[in-house]
Amino acid sequence: MADFLSAYSIQSWLESCPQGYLEDTEYGHAHDEKEPDILLDNEVLREETIKATVQLVVGERCALSASSGLINAAPDEASKRFLATQTLDEARHVEVFTHRLYDLGVKKNELESVIRHYANPNLVKFAEVLLEKVDKKDFIAGVVGQNIVLEGMAFSVFEMMYAMNEPINAKFAHTLSGTIADERRHVGFGENRIGSLIKENPGKKSEIERMQKEMSYWMLATFADAFRGNRTLDELNKLGVERAHGHYQGADLGVLSPEQMEHVLADTVLAEFKTRLGRIGVEYQTPAMPA
Amino acid sequence: MTARTEPRTEIHDLEHDAFLEEVHSFEFWFQAVEGYLSGTVHGHRPDTRDVPPVGSDRERLISTLCNYCIGETAALEGASGLIAIAPNRLTKVFLSTQVADEGRHLEVLLQRLADLGVAEPESEVEKRSSPSLQLFRRRLLELVASRDWEAAIFAQNVILESLEYAVFHTHASNADPITREVLEGVIKDERRHIGFGENELGRKLAHSPHIRARLGQVRSQLDHLVLDMLETTAREIGVDRHEQERLGRTYRESVERLGFGS
């Protein structure tokens, strides 16, 4: 275990993250990269972009609370130190997505009310399931919920958003690429560290499976709200602006309907859960489908 | 995160809220640490020659480093626990940078123990830890668990950090080259943490002076543990009586800057 955890040391983190892919960035992107004018000038597009970014801030705030809360529950020093780097990664994500809200015109004194207004209640419930485990200092369930379920979801969402933005918004795509690199490390830690702990505590499996099923339900409900209530495509059609043809999981996002995009994302995340949970010896539970 | 092509405003010219937005950010942290951590491996330059102490000096250094590890573990657990009760995003982000700092300190100190030939640094730390320091750690975590923000910040970012700052500063002046470099990097971080504690509590005390009495009580509960730790560590790092007194004075001055006289 010690050898595997040495790959997750603070020394490795310093070399790969701040001195690696974050080099020469400011708030996650190059200094001269800006949001596209159309997002800033068109009120519908701006509001939809703010709404989407708020969900990222809410998710990252949950990840920050969870990773910092898990430090005191970690059974060994090396895990504590990895979680220290993850805590800082999550705080950086909170910071860069918060700054995106400022770039989109949210005033600093309105930040919290904007977040409260747009935060998806299903995403808040998703976070509550995880934070309940963290509050109980349940390290195994907490790491599965945080580093496999939450981070697995974030990883796929960011990848899809990256595919959507890469052809049209270099600034946000750049911000996302740094967070994706972080999430990949977090998911890797979860899989590697938890597998052995599950073997030592087989009695935890059913509780973890229930948690995954519940979190997955709230995640799917969040996706449904995010895609079905989104006015972006209608507005682009109205403006006569062609959609960007980013590719995600073999699909052209420029031709899919919002429902089709929702299904591609949901299927991808759930398949990832199944694979990753299988690697740590936990049986994936199919969640109920939100109405 | 290094290339800023536009000149930045001098931070002390900023309005208070903008100042906090700047100095509590990940960006600010990164620029600060990059200056002294870039190119280092486990807290020291890779080409620094190791001249480790031998015999009883080595034993004393190992005991000292073991107790530093306990202090840093307390700080890591304290800072991470404080994120949950931090009153706003900026203090949460700052504490996240502190969590990474404390995790780094623990890592470089454990590595130094390994370099000195300690086969199992973590169990050695437990074996050699001072009862006063362990008690301090428990008291700190109780304050965090009780969600008392001011008392926990006071214990963590003023008392513990001031103690570490004073001890590391003195130790660095007579340590072997690698231990010195490791400690000098840690000291630079501690200065930032103490600044946060002073700023956060200074503002709170200005608006709510009644908090002072409660923090005075926390100090009186922790002071004897701190002074006991100071005496033990001073003995182990081999400083003379005069230097021991100066060490105590440095610690007291940091705490008294906030108006908590003994």
mmCIF file of all heavy atoms in Angstrom, chain A residues 88-117:
data_model
loop_
_atom_site.group_PDB
_atom_site.id
_atom_site.type_symbol
_atom_site.label_atom_id
_atom_site.label_comp_id
_atom_site.label_asym_id
_atom_site.label_seq_id
_atom_site.Cartn_x
_atom_site.Cartn_y
_atom_site.Cartn_z
ATOM 1 N N LEU A 88 -7.201 20.755 -1.581
ATOM 2 C CA LEU A 88 -6.763 21.974 -2.271
ATOM 3 C C LEU A 88 -7.230 21.981 -3.727
ATOM 4 O O LEU A 88 -7.634 23.025 -4.254
ATOM 5 C CB LEU A 88 -5.238 22.098 -2.181
ATOM 6 C CG LEU A 88 -4.638 23.383 -2.717
ATOM 7 C CD1 LEU A 88 -5.363 24.617 -2.208
ATOM 8 C CD2 LEU A 88 -3.169 23.487 -2.351
ATOM 9 N N ASP A 89 -7.211 20.824 -4.374
ATOM 10 C CA ASP A 89 -7.750 20.750 -5.747
ATOM 11 C C ASP A 89 -9.205 21.216 -5.771
ATOM 12 O O ASP A 89 -9.612 22.006 -6.632
ATOM 13 C CB ASP A 89 -7.721 19.306 -6.272
ATOM 14 C CG ASP A 89 -6.320 18.803 -6.601
ATOM 15 O OD1 ASP A 89 -5.446 19.625 -6.920
ATOM 16 O OD2 ASP A 89 -6.114 17.574 -6.547
ATOM 17 N N GLU A 90 -9.995 20.697 -4.824
ATOM 18 C CA GLU A 90 -11.430 21.027 -4.822
ATOM 19 C C GLU A 90 -11.640 22.513 -4.535
ATOM 20 O O GLU A 90 -12.520 23.149 -5.126
ATOM 21 C CB GLU A 90 -12.202 20.177 -3.796
ATOM 22 C CG GLU A 90 -11.989 18.672 -3.854
ATOM 23 C CD GLU A 90 -12.385 18.011 -5.173
ATOM 24 O OE1 GLU A 90 -12.823 18.719 -6.098
ATOM 25 O OE2 GLU A 90 -12.248 16.777 -5.281
ATOM 26 N N ALA A 91 -10.825 23.046 -3.625
ATOM 27 C CA ALA A 91 -10.942 24.487 -3.347
ATOM 28 C C ALA A 91 -10.587 25.292 -4.598
ATOM 29 O O ALA A 91 -11.214 26.304 -4.904
ATOM 30 C CB ALA A 91 -10.017 24.869 -2.200
ATOM 31 N N ARG A 92 -9.584 24.819 -5.331
ATOM 32 C CA ARG A 92 -9.233 25.507 -6.583
ATOM 33 C C ARG A 92 -10.397 25.445 -7.567
ATOM 34 O O ARG A 92 -10.716 26.435 -8.225
ATOM 35 C CB ARG A 92 -7.987 24.858 -7.216
ATOM 36 C CG ARG A 92 -7.462 25.609 -8.423
ATOM 37 C CD ARG A 92 -6.276 24.912 -9.048
ATOM 38 N NE ARG A 92 -6.658 23.777 -9.863
ATOM 39 C CZ ARG A 92 -7.128 23.863 -11.114
ATOM 40 N NH1 ARG A 92 -7.287 25.046 -11.684
ATOM 41 N NH2 ARG A 92 -7.453 22.770 -11.787
ATOM 42 N N HIS A 93 -11.068 24.301 -7.638
ATOM 43 C CA HIS A 93 -12.215 24.202 -8.549
ATOM 44 C C HIS A 93 -13.329 25.167 -8.129
ATOM 45 O O HIS A 93 -13.931 25.821 -8.975
ATOM 46 C CB HIS A 93 -12.762 22.765 -8.577
ATOM 47 C CG HIS A 93 -11.754 21.741 -8.999
ATOM 48 N ND1 HIS A 93 -11.950 20.388 -8.866
ATOM 49 C CD2 HIS A 93 -10.522 21.873 -9.554
ATOM 50 C CE1 HIS A 93 -10.898 19.743 -9.308
ATOM 51 N NE2 HIS A 93 -10.012 20.614 -9.732
ATOM 52 N N VAL A 94 -13.588 25.221 -6.818
ATOM 53 C CA VAL A 94 -14.592 26.186 -6.334
ATOM 54 C C VAL A 94 -14.190 27.585 -6.802
ATOM 55 O O VAL A 94 -15.002 28.354 -7.316
ATOM 56 C CB VAL A 94 -14.700 26.151 -4.787
ATOM 57 C CG1 VAL A 94 -15.571 27.303 -4.285
ATOM 58 C CG2 VAL A 94 -15.268 24.817 -4.307
ATOM 59 N N GLU A 95 -12.906 27.882 -6.643
ATOM 60 C CA GLU A 95 -12.421 29.226 -6.986
ATOM 61 C C GLU A 95 -12.542 29.511 -8.492
ATOM 62 O O GLU A 95 -13.036 30.568 -8.894
ATOM 63 C CB GLU A 95 -10.967 29.367 -6.539
ATOM 64 C CG GLU A 95 -10.387 30.751 -6.770
ATOM 65 C CD GLU A 95 -9.061 30.914 -6.041
ATOM 66 O OE1 GLU A 95 -9.083 30.911 -4.799
ATOM 67 O OE2 GLU A 95 -8.013 31.029 -6.694
ATOM 68 N N VAL A 96 -12.129 28.577 -9.330
ATOM 69 C CA VAL A 96 -12.136 28.880 -10.777
ATOM 70 C C VAL A 96 -13.569 28.965 -11.313
ATOM 71 O O VAL A 96 -13.865 29.816 -12.163
ATOM 72 C CB VAL A 96 -11.295 27.877 -11.622
ATOM 73 C CG1 VAL A 96 -9.831 27.965 -11.249
ATOM 74 C CG2 VAL A 96 -11.794 26.447 -11.535
ATOM 75 N N PHE A 97 -14.464 28.118 -10.798
ATOM 76 C CA PHE A 97 -15.849 28.204 -11.290
ATOM 77 C C PHE A 97 -16.553 29.445 -10.719
ATOM 78 O O PHE A 97 -17.395 30.043 -11.379
ATOM 79 C CB PHE A 97 -16.631 26.921 -10.964
ATOM 80 C CG PHE A 97 -16.116 25.714 -11.731
ATOM 81 C CD1 PHE A 97 -15.896 24.492 -11.104
ATOM 82 C CD2 PHE A 97 -15.832 25.810 -13.091
ATOM 83 C CE1 PHE A 97 -15.412 23.393 -11.813
ATOM 84 C CE2 PHE A 97 -15.342 24.712 -13.808
ATOM 85 C CZ PHE A 97 -15.131 23.512 -13.167
ATOM 86 N N THR A 98 -16.190 29.820 -9.494
ATOM 87 C CA THR A 98 -16.735 31.065 -8.937
ATOM 88 C C THR A 98 -16.269 32.252 -9.783
ATOM 89 O O THR A 98 -17.055 33.156 -10.090
ATOM 90 C CB THR A 98 -16.276 31.236 -7.469
ATOM 91 O OG1 THR A 98 -16.750 30.120 -6.716
ATOM 92 C CG2 THR A 98 -16.822 32.517 -6.862
ATOM 93 N N HIS A 99 -15.006 32.225 -10.172
ATOM 94 C CA HIS A 99 -14.499 33.319 -11.014
ATOM 95 C C HIS A 99 -15.176 33.348 -12.368
ATOM 96 O O HIS A 99 -15.357 34.404 -12.964
ATOM 97 C CB HIS A 99 -12.976 33.253 -11.151
ATOM 98 C CG HIS A 99 -12.322 34.113 -10.125
ATOM 99 N ND1 HIS A 99 -11.897 35.394 -10.378
ATOM 100 C CD2 HIS A 99 -12.103 33.893 -8.810
ATOM 101 C CE1 HIS A 99 -11.433 35.916 -9.267
ATOM 102 N NE2 HIS A 99 -11.533 35.024 -8.304
ATOM 103 N N ARG A 100 -15.579 32.163 -12.841
ATOM 104 C CA ARG A 100 -16.311 32.162 -14.113
ATOM 105 C C ARG A 100 -17.653 32.898 -13.933
ATOM 106 O O ARG A 100 -18.087 33.620 -14.833
ATOM 107 C CB ARG A 100 -16.560 30.726 -14.603
ATOM 108 C CG ARG A 100 -17.202 30.759 -15.972
ATOM 109 C CD ARG A 100 -17.397 29.418 -16.599
ATOM 110 N NE ARG A 100 -17.652 29.596 -18.016
ATOM 111 C CZ ARG A 100 -18.601 28.956 -18.698
ATOM 112 N NH1 ARG A 100 -19.371 28.085 -18.081
ATOM 113 N NH2 ARG A 100 -18.765 29.193 -19.969
ATOM 114 N N LEU A 101 -18.271 32.699 -12.775
ATOM 115 C CA LEU A 101 -19.529 33.437 -12.526
ATOM 116 C C LEU A 101 -19.268 34.943 -12.557
ATOM 117 O O LEU A 101 -20.064 35.700 -13.124
ATOM 118 C CB LEU A 101 -20.137 33.015 -11.184
ATOM 119 C CG LEU A 101 -20.694 31.591 -11.114
ATOM 120 C CD1 LEU A 101 -21.173 31.265 -9.701
ATOM 121 C CD2 LEU A 101 -21.844 31.402 -12.104
ATOM 122 N N TYR A 102 -18.158 35.365 -11.951
ATOM 123 C CA TYR A 102 -17.823 36.806 -12.001
ATOM 124 C C TYR A 102 -17.602 37.247 -13.454
ATOM 125 O O TYR A 102 -18.047 38.309 -13.870
ATOM 126 C CB TYR A 102 -16.554 37.105 -11.195
ATOM 127 C CG TYR A 102 -16.660 36.859 -9.696
ATOM 128 C CD1 TYR A 102 -15.529 36.553 -8.943
ATOM 129 C CD2 TYR A 102 -17.882 36.932 -9.038
ATOM 130 C CE1 TYR A 102 -15.610 36.330 -7.576
ATOM 131 C CE2 TYR A 102 -17.978 36.708 -7.671
ATOM 132 C CZ TYR A 102 -16.835 36.405 -6.946
ATOM 133 O OH TYR A 102 -16.928 36.182 -5.597
ATOM 134 N N ASP A 103 -16.895 36.408 -14.217
ATOM 135 C CA ASP A 103 -16.636 36.754 -15.627
ATOM 136 C C ASP A 103 -17.934 36.861 -16.417
ATOM 137 O O ASP A 103 -18.006 37.592 -17.412
ATOM 138 C CB ASP A 103 -15.740 35.689 -16.295
ATOM 139 C CG ASP A 103 -14.322 35.688 -15.730
ATOM 140 O OD1 ASP A 103 -13.942 36.672 -15.072
ATOM 141 O OD2 ASP A 103 -13.605 34.687 -15.941
ATOM 142 N N LEU A 104 -18.954 36.105 -15.966
ATOM 143 C CA LEU A 104 -20.243 36.138 -16.671
ATOM 144 C C LEU A 104 -21.124 37.277 -16.171
ATOM 145 O O LEU A 104 -22.285 37.395 -16.575
ATOM 146 C CB LEU A 104 -20.976 34.798 -16.487
ATOM 147 C CG LEU A 104 -20.332 33.608 -17.213
ATOM 148 C CD1 LEU A 104 -20.904 32.288 -16.690
ATOM 149 C CD2 LEU A 104 -20.539 33.705 -18.720
ATOM 150 N N GLY A 105 -20.581 38.080 -15.279
ATOM 151 C CA GLY A 105 -21.297 39.285 -14.854
ATOM 152 C C GLY A 105 -21.974 39.192 -13.503
ATOM 153 O O GLY A 105 -22.664 40.135 -13.104
ATOM 154 N N VAL A 106 -21.802 38.084 -12.790
ATOM 155 C CA VAL A 106 -22.383 38.005 -11.443
ATOM 156 C C VAL A 106 -21.566 38.917 -10.526
ATOM 157 O O VAL A 106 -20.338 38.850 -10.519
ATOM 158 C CB VAL A 106 -22.351 36.551 -10.908
ATOM 159 C CG1 VAL A 106 -22.799 36.491 -9.450
ATOM 160 C CG2 VAL A 106 -23.229 35.650 -11.774
ATOM 161 N N LYS A 107 -22.277 39.759 -9.783
ATOM 162 C CA LYS A 107 -21.560 40.676 -8.882
ATOM 163 C C LYS A 107 -21.160 39.922 -7.605
ATOM 164 O O LYS A 107 -21.880 39.024 -7.155
ATOM 165 C CB LYS A 107 -22.455 41.862 -8.526
ATOM 166 C CG LYS A 107 -22.761 42.747 -9.739
ATOM 167 C CD LYS A 107 -23.461 44.022 -9.283
ATOM 168 C CE LYS A 107 -23.618 44.993 -10.426
ATOM 169 N NZ LYS A 107 -24.445 44.472 -11.534
ATOM 170 N N LYS A 108 -20.022 40.353 -7.040
ATOM 171 C CA LYS A 108 -19.515 39.626 -5.868
ATOM 172 C C LYS A 108 -20.528 39.599 -4.731
ATOM 173 O O LYS A 108 -20.684 38.586 -4.059
ATOM 174 C CB LYS A 108 -18.202 40.237 -5.397
ATOM 175 C CG LYS A 108 -17.086 39.903 -6.369
ATOM 176 C CD LYS A 108 -15.737 40.381 -5.939
ATOM 177 C CE LYS A 108 -14.729 39.950 -7.005
ATOM 178 N NZ LYS A 108 -13.396 40.467 -6.805
ATOM 179 N N ASN A 109 -21.230 40.725 -4.541
ATOM 180 C CA ASN A 109 -22.180 40.755 -3.417
ATOM 181 C C ASN A 109 -23.463 39.981 -3.715
ATOM 182 O O ASN A 109 -24.319 39.849 -2.853
ATOM 183 C CB ASN A 109 -22.487 42.189 -2.991
ATOM 184 C CG ASN A 109 -23.113 43.000 -4.106
ATOM 185 O OD1 ASN A 109 -23.343 42.475 -5.205
ATOM 186 N ND2 ASN A 109 -23.387 44.264 -3.849
ATOM 187 N N GLU A 110 -23.601 39.490 -4.949
ATOM 188 C CA GLU A 110 -24.795 38.706 -5.292
ATOM 189 C C GLU A 110 -24.487 37.212 -5.420
ATOM 190 O O GLU A 110 -25.369 36.411 -5.718
ATOM 191 C CB GLU A 110 -25.376 39.186 -6.631
ATOM 192 C CG GLU A 110 -25.969 40.579 -6.562
ATOM 193 C CD GLU A 110 -26.291 41.134 -7.948
ATOM 194 O OE1 GLU A 110 -25.992 40.479 -8.968
ATOM 195 O OE2 GLU A 110 -26.819 42.260 -7.993
ATOM 196 N N LEU A 111 -23.222 36.879 -5.227
ATOM 197 C CA LEU A 111 -22.786 35.502 -5.504
ATOM 198 C C LEU A 111 -23.644 34.456 -4.783
ATOM 199 O O LEU A 111 -24.179 33.541 -5.414
ATOM 200 C CB LEU A 111 -21.307 35.333 -5.117
ATOM 201 C CG LEU A 111 -20.760 33.920 -5.285
ATOM 202 C CD1 LEU A 111 -20.642 33.543 -6.753
ATOM 203 C CD2 LEU A 111 -19.401 33.776 -4.607
ATOM 204 N N GLU A 112 -23.763 34.601 -3.460
ATOM 205 C CA GLU A 112 -24.465 33.560 -2.698
ATOM 206 C C GLU A 112 -25.940 33.486 -3.080
ATOM 207 O O GLU A 112 -26.511 32.395 -3.152
ATOM 208 C CB GLU A 112 -24.303 33.789 -1.191
ATOM 209 C CG GLU A 112 -22.881 33.594 -0.676
ATOM 210 C CD GLU A 112 -22.284 32.228 -1.038
ATOM 211 O OE1 GLU A 112 -23.001 31.217 -0.961
ATOM 212 O OE2 GLU A 112 -21.094 32.190 -1.422
ATOM 213 N N SER A 113 -26.559 34.637 -3.333
ATOM 214 C CA SER A 113 -27.990 34.582 -3.684
ATOM 215 C C SER A 113 -28.163 33.974 -5.073
ATOM 216 O O SER A 113 -29.127 33.239 -5.316
ATOM 217 C CB SER A 113 -28.640 35.964 -3.590
ATOM 218 O OG SER A 113 -28.041 36.839 -4.497
ATOM 219 N N VAL A 114 -27.227 34.224 -5.993
ATOM 220 C CA VAL A 114 -27.299 33.611 -7.328
ATOM 221 C C VAL A 114 -27.145 32.089 -7.191
ATOM 222 O O VAL A 114 -27.883 31.324 -7.815
ATOM 223 C CB VAL A 114 -26.208 34.209 -8.259
ATOM 224 C CG1 VAL A 114 -26.053 33.381 -9.523
ATOM 225 C CG2 VAL A 114 -26.553 35.651 -8.614
ATOM 226 N N ILE A 115 -26.225 31.664 -6.348
ATOM 227 C CA ILE A 115 -26.015 30.218 -6.169
ATOM 228 C C ILE A 115 -27.269 29.585 -5.551
ATOM 229 O O ILE A 115 -27.740 28.534 -6.006
ATOM 230 C CB ILE A 115 -24.753 29.950 -5.328
ATOM 231 C CG1 ILE A 115 -23.508 30.330 -6.145
ATOM 232 C CG2 ILE A 115 -24.680 28.485 -4.892
ATOM 233 C CD1 ILE A 115 -22.210 30.288 -5.398
ATOM 234 N N ARG A 116 -27.816 30.239 -4.548
ATOM 235 C CA ARG A 116 -29.042 29.694 -3.910
ATOM 236 C C ARG A 116 -30.185 29.602 -4.921
ATOM 237 O O ARG A 116 -30.924 28.622 -4.966
ATOM 238 C CB ARG A 116 -29.456 30.583 -2.739
ATOM 239 C CG ARG A 116 -28.900 30.139 -1.395
ATOM 240 C CD ARG A 116 -29.640 30.781 -0.226
ATOM 241 N NE ARG A 116 -29.670 32.226 -0.329
ATOM 242 C CZ ARG A 116 -28.683 33.030 0.090
ATOM 243 N NH1 ARG A 116 -27.602 32.494 0.632
ATOM 244 N NH2 ARG A 116 -28.770 34.327 -0.029
ATOM 245 N N HIS A 117 -30.287 30.634 -5.755
ATOM 246 C CA HIS A 117 -31.400 30.706 -6.714
ATOM 247 C C HIS A 117 -31.312 29.583 -7.760
ATOM 248 O O HIS A 117 -32.320 28.982 -8.114
ATOM 249 C CB HIS A 117 -31.386 32.076 -7.392
ATOM 250 C CG HIS A 117 -32.484 32.271 -8.390
ATOM 251 N ND1 HIS A 117 -33.798 32.384 -8.009
ATOM 252 C CD2 HIS A 117 -32.475 32.340 -9.743
ATOM 253 C CE1 HIS A 117 -34.543 32.520 -9.085
ATOM 254 N NE2 HIS A 117 -33.770 32.496 -10.153
#
